[in-house]
Each structure stands twice: as structure tokens, then as C-alpha cells.
Amino acid sequence: MNPQEAFGEAFADVLTQMLGEDAPSRPATPEESQAFRRDLVATMVLEGQAPGLVCLAASEETAREAANRLLGFPAQGPRPEDLRDALAELLNVIAGGAKARLAGTPWHFKLRYPSTSAASADVDSSSSSSSFSSSSSSSLLSPTSFGDLLVWFTLNQPEGCPPP
Amino acid sequence: MKILSIDDSSVARRTVGLTVEALGYEFLEAASGAEGLALLGKNRDEVTLVLLDWNMPGMDGLEVLQRLKADPDLAGIPVMMVTTEVERDNMVTAVRAGAKHYLTKPYTPEQLAVRILQCLGAGK
């Protein structure tokens, strides 16, 4: 299994089991891959032979819907901090799922703790990966539904490992 | 009867709490291993199950489990790991350290409810 398949399957699992969406993830379109603007971004550093980064980004509206679904639609609605925490938890589970799928491969990594921030500017996936080697595996995944939730990841290519 | 969730994610704890309360149990929550052990110390006679995350800042879930099982007053409380750590080595490590069950994220509320009831010996 390669990183794109691993993150794609992990993302699909999260959509189905945590958010109740029956929608497999798909690679983002070229337009979506150039840059994406979202209100909130959760980020996690990946450590290992192929270090990298994974992000989950969403508009405030999509993050609120995710928090609502995770928390069973609380009467008062989710708190502002719930939106960030929901994204961080979803990212944690996506990264954990991808990690398990890549166990035993050269792409195997360890998780760090997710952090979240308000995205005040466009996230340019091509420039964001500039700190990684030119042979890194990088991809943007988007669901077919459920708002504008996007997963972006990049992993440095392990030594001696052919491109995925 | 009380069920304690130890997880650094507020959303994860509250998600667990919805299922726990729907099953009719009282829900306790702690945002760290240290807080969880302190809460257990105060509620040792009432907590019937601990749901424990693995990846937490500071004291991780495995260390919490080891400390809990090393304390004669707490060692009898069943622990279920609820975590993204799905690799076989980690599962074996947790069970050897005393975890009774192991539930990997993501899970549905129904899957969590079934595991909780299994842990508590429902139907026996």
C-alpha cells in the first residue's frame, strides 16, 4: 500500500464511522490542489524514516457540522473550541489509520500530537511542501460530500524506495 | 456505577460520554493521565470501567495503565484502551500490561456500546 491509498482509506473510514457519511475520499482536482482556503486547519507532524506532515482543513461551517455530528447535536450547539478539537480528533484518527496501513512499509511513521489554528491565508499545498525533498509523496484528498473538508499530506520518500 | 474516560481530546471524551450515558452509566472524564489517576483515587469504589486513550501528552495511556495495575486499590478496575494505535505490537503490549479490551478508532457509537457491555460482563 502506498501513502495515498493509506490516507485515502483512513479518511474514508473517518467519514463513514465518525461523521456518518457514506462517501469515499477522492484525489482533489487540480484546481483544489493549487491552493485551498479554509477557516481552520489541524496539523500533525509525522516522524519516521519518511517524515512528513498531514493537515485537515475546513471552513467554519463544515467544522461546526463535524463537531455537531461527533457530539450528537448538542442543544446549545458546539462551542468555538469544539470546532478546533473536532478537527484535531478527526485528523488524529485519520493519521492513526494511515499509520497502521503503512506499518511494515518504508513509509511507516509515528504520530505527534495534532495542533489547530485559524487559517488566515490560503494554504498553498505546493509551496507548503517545499521544505520536503523533491521526491516526497504529497497529495490532497477531498470527500465527495460533507462540506469542504480536505486532507493534505506529504511524506519524504524513504531512501531506496521507489516513488508510489 | 461510573465509567471514566481519560483522553486529552474534549470532543473524544464527550463522544464517549454520550454512549456511556445512553447505556445508563454515570460518566466521569479526565483530560490527562495524572488527572485520571487522581479521579480514580477519589472514586475507586464506584468506577466500574476505565476507557483509556494511548497517545496523550505527558503521561501516555500505557503508563497510566501500568500505574493503575501497580496500585492494589485500583488494579481490579477493568481498562479498555480506546485509541488510534492499531498495530498488533501495541495491542499485545497493552493487553500484557493489563488492558481487558482494545477498541480502535474510528468506531461507531454502537461498536463502543457493545464493547462497554462486553467489558462489564453484560449477558453473563
Side-chain angles (χ1 to χ4, degrees):
Chain A
M1 178 167 285
N2 66 43
Q4 176 144 355
E5 292 168 336
F7 278 96
E9 286 187 12
F11 189 24
D13 274 358
V14 163
L15 288 168
T16 305
Q17 297 192 49
M18 296 179 77
L19 298 176
E21 280 289 306
D22 192 16
S25 67
R26 58 167 172 78
T29 63
E31 292 75 23
E32 288 170 326
S33 298
Q34 284 303 308
F36 54 98
R37 187 181 182 89
R38 299 292 183 272
D39 301 315
L40 294 168
V41 178
T43 305
M44 180 187 282
V45 171
L46 309 172
E47 292 183 334
Q49 191 184 345
L53 191 68
V54 58
C55 302
L56 180 66
S59 65
E60 188 173 328
E61 183 184 358
T62 297
R64 178 171 289 105
E65 178 63 17
N68 259 323
R69 292 195 189 189
L70 289 172
L71 298 172
F73 294 89
Q76 307 297 323
R79 303 171 302 196
E81 60 266 34
D82 293 337
L83 275 54
R84 291 181 175 214
D85 202 28
L87 275 194
E89 177 64 7
L90 293 172
L91 178 64
N92 188 39
V93 180
I94 291 167
K99 171 180 179 266
R101 287 171 171 84
L102 293 171
T105 76
W107 299 95
H108 190 223
F109 56 78
K110 291 182 178 177
L111 308 181
R112 296 292 299 272
Y113 305 110
S115 62
T116 54
S117 59
S120 56
D122 290 345
V123 178
D124 184 336
S125 60
S126 56
S127 66
S128 297
S129 63
S130 61
S131 60
F132 293 87
S133 74
S134 58
S135 56
S136 63
S137 172
S138 179
S139 189
L140 191 65
L141 301 168
S142 171
T144 53
S145 59
F146 200 76
D148 51 13
L149 203 61
L150 279 175
V151 173
W152 172 77
F153 73 88
T154 187
L155 283 172
N156 267 349
Q157 190 170 328
E159 249 178 73
C161 180
Chain B
M1 293 204 292
K2 298 177 181 177
I3 293 178
L4 169 64
S5 169
I6 305 175
D7 195 314
D8 59 311
S9 165
S10 162
V11 162
R13 293 194 306 275
R14 288 159 65 196
T15 302
V16 167
L18 290 173
T19 298
V20 167
E21 289 173 350
L23 290 172
Y25 297 101
E26 190 173 336
F27 181 62
L28 298 177
E29 57 181 304
S32 69
E35 188 184 327
L37 288 172
L39 206 51
L40 265 179
K42 292 177 189 167
N43 294 272
R44 67 185 61 181
D45 296 329
E46 297 166 283
V47 173
T48 53
L49 177 64
V50 176
L51 305 178
L52 181 58
D53 184 26
W54 187 306
N55 291 313
M56 295 186 286
M59 192 189 308
D60 67 20
L62 182 61
E63 186 178 348
V64 174
L65 177 63
Q66 289 165 335
R67 290 192 185 203
L68 192 153
K69 293 299 173 185
D71 184 334
D73 290 333
L74 305 179
I77 301 172
V79 175
M80 175 163 63
M81 302 300 292
V82 182
T83 175
T84 58
E85 287 291 342
V86 298
E87 288 166 53
R88 188 177 58 188
D89 287 353
N90 290 337
M91 292 185 186
V92 170
T93 298
V95 170
R96 282 189 171 149
K100 187 170 182 182
H101 278 270
Y102 200 104
L103 179 62
T104 57
K105 299 178 184 179
Y107 54 77
T108 63
E110 294 77 17
Q111 289 167 334
L112 176 62
V114 167
R115 287 299 182 89
I116 288 173
L117 293 173
Q118 285 175 335
C119 255
L120 296 175
K124 285 184 182 174

